[in-house]
Amino acid sequence: MTATLRAESVSFAYEPGRPVFKSVDASVSGGETVGLVGPNGSGKSTLLRVMCGLLRTRAGGVLLNGRPLSSYGGRDRARRVAFLPQAVNPAFALSVFEVVCLGRYPHMGAFGALGPRDKEAAERCMRDTEVDHLRGRDFLTLSGGERQRVLLASILAQEPEILLLDEPTSALDIHHQIEIFSLLDRLAHNRPGGYGILVVTHDLNLAARFCDRILLLGLNQSMLAEGPHDSVLTEPLLSRAYGAPIRVSRHPETGAPLVWAEAPREETGEKGDTPHNCRGASQHGGAP
Ligand SMILES: Nc1ncnc2c1ncn2[C@@H]1O[C@H](COP(=O)(O)OP(=O)(O)OP(=O)(O)O)[C@@H](O)[C@H]1O
Ligand SMILES: [Mg+2]
């Protein structure tokens, strides 16, 4: 059976009377990659925390395979749903290999010893995320992007059915961003019973290229749109979500939407003032 994680009409507030979102629906099923996008503060991280059970909703519910998520035991839930937070700061020094092996804890026996299958999974996930050469390094000494790939390896080693990833590529260089999104694509689509992946990203172009569906959260406490990228990544919807002019054209090779934000126009006051994009020239030389 294909795993499905579904948030139904969920509302959440950190403080009474100040909801982050109200009556929001979101879902992800095995075999699909879903992008969760929206402006800073719209509630993407909060929604992921609600969907993995770290935050309890005030209204609505989260169902895993049709059953309330809260009815699953901790280990059982961890074997099915894995969550990669936006920021992780381990409290003590561990090697890269040890951090990746932490992902195996829901599968370990009573004495917490790593078996051959655990080590095999850890090795495979380190290779997939290109961190095996870092295996002996102290995690705390890694660069931001290296840390992010190690944490992803750890989550993958958990071998869940559903992956909830909060900005897994925010610190990665352009090559590793594509590598990781391609890996997620393969994990969801290249085998029967593939992962269900719900990924938060601010890179709308990566979301357009790799996600089967996109969820767009707005700053008005609601889900503004949900569907394939063509129906969600439109100028009117994005401009409304971000409260700023957003332009959309087509990638010349892939044909996917190509999204960018317009630079703010400078108020110049009088007609005939120097346009803002010429200001650099005047600063460097000529105008009084
Ligand atoms: N622990 C908390 N206590 C109180 N308010 C919080 C807490 N965590 C987040 N918030 C607030 O809830 C709102 C949603 O935050 P959240 O982190 O979910 O946004 P986000 O969409 O993930 O933003 P970003 O793109 O910046 O990561 C914000 O206004 C934030 O300030
Ligand atoms: Mg966030």
Side-chain angles (χ1 to χ4, degrees):
M1 190 185 83
T2 305
T4 298
L5 182 67
R6 185 182 302 282
E8 287 184 347
S9 279
V10 290
S11 303
F12 186 85
Y14 289 100
E15 296 161 32
R18 297 186 62 185
V20 177
F21 45 73
K22 290 193 280 194
S23 283
V24 158
D25 294 320
S27 70
V28 57
S29 296
E32 68 170 348
T33 310
V34 181
L36 176 55
V37 305
N40 292 134
S42 55
K44 303 176 298 298
S45 299
T46 305
L47 182 56
L48 283 201
R49 286 177 182 276
V50 164
M51 290 183 75
C52 71
L54 280 176
L55 295 174
R56 289 287 174 102
T57 50
R58 309 269 162 97
V62 179
L63 305 174
L64 175 60
N65 301 331
R67 242 176 77 190
L69 185 64
S70 54
S71 70
Y72 288 80
R75 266 165 98 88
D76 193 15
R77 183 165 32 174
R79 277 197 289 258
R80 295 164 191 271
V81 179
F83 169 54
L84 179 65
Q86 197 168 348
V88 179
N89 297 305
F92 38 85
L94 291 172
S95 73
V96 163
F97 183 68
E98 287 167 328
V99 169
V100 176
C101 287
L102 284 179
R104 294 299 300 168
Y105 80 92
H107 301 278
M108 288 179 194
F111 301 107
L114 287 172
R117 205 181 163 292
D118 299 310
K119 289 183 183 155
E120 202 181 286
E123 295 289 348
R124 188 185 63 250
C125 296
M126 286 196 299
R127 280 195 304 276
D128 283 348
T129 54
E130 296 183 20
V131 296
D132 42 345
H133 63 293
L134 302 170
R135 57 188 309 121
R137 289 273 302 277
D138 176 349
F139 178 80
L140 295 174
T141 67
L142 301 182
S143 77
E146 289 169 342
R147 279 189 192 201
Q148 216 165 24
R149 279 166 28 230
V150 170
L151 291 170
L152 187 60
S154 181
I155 290 293
L156 294 177
Q158 202 172 317
E159 294 184 322
E161 295 166 330
I162 303 284
L163 287 167
L164 304 177
L165 307 175
D166 199 349
E167 300 195 35
T169 59
S170 60
L172 301 192
D173 64 56
I174 193 166
H175 161 71
H176 282 110
Q177 283 180 7
I178 292 285
E179 290 280 316
I180 292 299
F181 265 88
S182 302
L183 171 64
L184 298 180
D185 189 41
R186 291 196 300 277
L187 291 171
H189 299 114
N190 279 12
R191 63 188 175 105
Y195 287 99
I197 301 176
L198 179 56
V199 55
V200 172
T201 178
H202 283 297
D203 193 323
L204 302 178
N205 296 315
L206 280 176
R209 185 162 160 192
F210 287 100
C211 294
D212 301 303
R213 285 191 295 126
I214 296 187
L215 309 177
L216 174 61
L217 264 178
L219 284 172
N220 60 349
Q221 303 157 355
S222 71
M223 193 68 81
L224 280 182
E226 181 276 328
H229 59 63
D230 271 336
S231 67
V232 176
L233 300 182
T234 66
E235 291 185 355
L237 277 171
L238 292 174
S239 301
R240 191 170 147 212
Y242 290 88
I246 307 289
R247 302 290 306 280
V248 181
S249 62
R250 294 273 149 197
H251 190 285
E253 286 186 14
T254 64
L258 194 57
V259 182
W260 77 95
E262 275 190 6
R265 287 180 200 280
E266 203 167 271
E267 292 299 328
T268 54
E270 288 174 39
K271 221 176 168 185
D273 271 2
T274 311
H276 76 276
N277 57 352
C278 299
R279 198 184 45 186
S282 63
Q283 279 175 344
H284 285 96

